[in-house]
């Protein structure tokens, strides 16, 4: 008999066991580890996954806001997803990730809200067409420092512009735009959880703008889902085009606004975040 | 003796009385009424105000996400603001607006998260300079249909482009950008609550794009605050430059991304929302 297929590292990282009620048990993943906690995109995907697995779920994801209140410690966590209000075609969720301290008290690491809805076909239009860019296979794979954070190896990036600086100091850029072809490594069929994690895949805009690795941490991230599950499934394991730029850096916080398109030019999601930085 | 100064209509609309603990009592305002509930910007300002008045507040607003889960009924409501986690220099809040139904049960109309922080001077830069636009006094005041919604009269708008269509049907635009000079009417010194409401002042992008008034409702709005209270105070009662555009309209939901600058060119906040539309 052949071996059972092994789960993709991402699916293991976001796996949750329903504990009854609104609680789901999960465990942090070495493969998606960042410097002092999990990759924020994986945490956002866990938040979404708790809603997607909840027995009371209505519809598909429309909006997700995740607030990174404190680091998630290595080990077990509980994802708690509660419907705050269920309407005829939309549903509003509270989600939090909690861990139990050594003294037995619960600590909230992550707060979030999610909106799901039953979508219906309507008049539709795109106001941000995909930019004309070189094909992914004409671009070299971006070289990421493997010893900085494990999760960097989990994405196959081909940068069109705004790649992570290979030389720090003195290489500051005039703007903060990055534009990349992007997919999971190993490849994984695109779905809502995978797309959510990809929305957080950009290195800090302040590093690009200043070419200096000041301490940073995402404080809050929002994703608006334009695609439905059929559009995501149609992307298969192909690359998506992702871009992000900052709009302002001011007194310890910068924002980032981003867009992710399918290779055939459909806007899959728009995403925004605000990030703490030091100095 | 002169009469006591009358509170600005906006301050009355967002006024909250602390009930002890995390609860604050408020009342909807006729002056900021929309079609079937309060103007969403006023609701967002109430959410923020509950945090700003909370005795445990640390720092100033950094990020706000408000989810419009259901209409706020005319009358009394409770704004409930709970600190989810307080760090050394950042604080994460849950906020909800609740009303009591005729049967005595609590109904959640609004869910929200807020991040506040103690900001410190750092390297700063603007990646979205204010566009060159005509002076406010060279532009006529935008004519708003007074009988549609009371809150429209509470803003003095001078449109540079993307004004609300004066003729519906057949006037659709190629893009969804609006760019306006904007202030409260009557004028009111700018602060975090006032700026928050202004972030929701744009009429639905789908009305501009299609020149058809389909039913709409904001589902979720996020504001990232770049300015501190001193920068806001320096704006006084002057106009701010506000712009917004949609990025995608798809199967019942469109997103909007916006920026608000002080008249002297500082980016005060960036803002994003996702909006339900019918047909």
């Amino acid at each position: 008999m052949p071996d059972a297929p092994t789960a993709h590292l991402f699916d293991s990282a976001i796996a949750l066991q329903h504990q009854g009620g609104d609680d789901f048990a999960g465990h942090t993943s070495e493969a998606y580890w960042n410097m002092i906690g999990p990759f924020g995109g994986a945490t956002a995907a866990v938040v979404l996954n708790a809603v997607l697995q909840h027995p009371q779920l209505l519809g598909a994801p429309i909006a997700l806001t995740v607030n990174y209140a404190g680091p998630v410690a290595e080990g077990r966590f509980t994802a708690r997803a509660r419907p705050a209000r269920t309407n005829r075609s939309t549903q509003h969720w509270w989600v939090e990730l909690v861990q139990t301290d050594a003294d037995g008290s619960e600590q909230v690491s992550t707060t979030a809200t999610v909106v799901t809805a039953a979508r219906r076909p309507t008049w539709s239009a795109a106001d941000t067409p995909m930019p004309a860019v070189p094909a992914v296979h004409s671009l070299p794979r971006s070289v990421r420092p493997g010893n900085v954070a494990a999760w960097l190896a989990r994405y196959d990036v081909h940068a069109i512009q705004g790649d992570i600086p290979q030389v720090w100091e003195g290489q500051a850029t005039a703007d903060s735009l990055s534009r990349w072809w992007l997919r999971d490594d190993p490849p994984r069929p695109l779905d809502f959880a995978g797309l959510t994690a990809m929305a957080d895949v950009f290195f800090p805009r302040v590093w690009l703008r200043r070419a200096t690795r000041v301490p940073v941490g995402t404080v809050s991230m929002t994703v608006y889902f334009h695609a439905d599950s059929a559009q995501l499934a149609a992307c298969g394991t192909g690359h998506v085009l992702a871009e992000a730029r900052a709009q302002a850096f001011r007194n310890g916080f910068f924002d980032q606004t981003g867009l992710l398109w399918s290779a055939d030019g459909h806007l899959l999601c728009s995403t925004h975040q605000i990030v703490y930085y030091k100095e």
Side-chain angles (χ1 to χ4, degrees), chain A:
Chain A
M1 271 171 51
D3 288 344
T6 306
H8 191 282
L9 290 166
F10 184 77
D11 292 291
S12 303
I14 68 166
L16 294 171
Q17 286 77 44
H18 192 200
Q19 306 294 295
D22 298 329
D23 283 6
F24 297 81
H27 196 288
T28 59
S29 157
E30 268 184 54
Y32 286 85
W33 197 251
N34 198 357
M35 282 177 280
I36 57 159
F39 164 48
T43 299
V46 164
V47 162
L48 187 68
N49 204 24
V51 170
L52 294 180
Q53 295 198 12
H54 199 289
Q56 289 173 257
L57 172 66
L58 170 73
I62 299 294
L64 162 85
T65 292
V66 179
N67 304 289
Y68 301 92
V72 178
E74 191 175 2
R76 287 173 54 86
F77 57 79
T78 298
R80 188 166 294 148
R82 289 187 299 119
R85 180 163 174 150
T86 301
N87 299 313
R88 203 168 40 145
S89 61
T90 61
Q91 194 172 39
H92 287 258
W93 295 85
W94 296 114
V95 188
E96 58 184 349
L97 301 191
V98 298
Q99 290 183 303
T100 306
D101 277 357
D103 66 0
S105 67
E106 261 193 5
Q107 177 82 290
V108 175
S109 68
T110 314
T111 67
T113 59
V114 176
V115 184
T116 58
R119 298 186 93 137
R120 295 181 184 87
T122 64
W123 174 88
S124 296
D127 268 20
T128 47
M130 188 170 84
V133 294
V136 58
H137 297 298
S138 70
L139 299 159
R141 180 168 175 163
S142 172
V143 177
R144 299 308 176 88
N147 58 345
V148 174
W151 74 270
L152 290 173
R154 300 277 65 80
Y155 290 97
D156 172 38
V157 170
H158 297 251
I160 297 145
Q161 73 178 91
D163 198 2
I164 195 161
Q166 300 300 315
V167 179
W168 298 94
E169 311 303 339
Q171 302 271 320
T173 56
D175 74 31
S176 59
L177 176 65
S178 284
R179 194 171 274 166
W180 300 345
W181 288 108
L182 174 71
R183 72 170 169 189
D184 290 294
D185 186 0
R188 177 179 177 275
L190 195 62
D191 60 11
F192 285 113
L195 182 66
T196 297
M198 287 180 183
D200 192 38
V201 88
F202 290 95
F203 66 93
R205 304 292 82 198
V206 70
W207 291 7
L208 179 61
R209 195 66 159 69
R210 298 175 67 184
T212 301
R213 275 175 293 186
V214 295
V216 293
T218 298
V219 171
S220 183
M221 174 170 80
T222 288
V223 182
Y224 297 145
F225 299 95
H226 300 300
D228 57 24
S229 56
Q231 276 186 306
L232 297 179
C235 295
T237 58
H239 288 80
V240 302
L241 182 69
E243 68 168 38
R245 73 181 82 212
Q247 302 188 117
F249 304 84
R250 185 161 171 81
N251 288 350
F253 296 88
F254 71 84
D255 68 343
Q256 172 184 304
T257 182
L259 298 167
L260 283 81
W261 291 270
S262 65
D264 61 352
H266 292 107
L267 188 63
L268 301 175
C269 71
S270 41
T271 180
H272 314 284
Q273 59 177 266
I274 191 153
V275 182
Y276 164 81
Y277 66 97
K278 204 169 170 179
E279 296 164 18

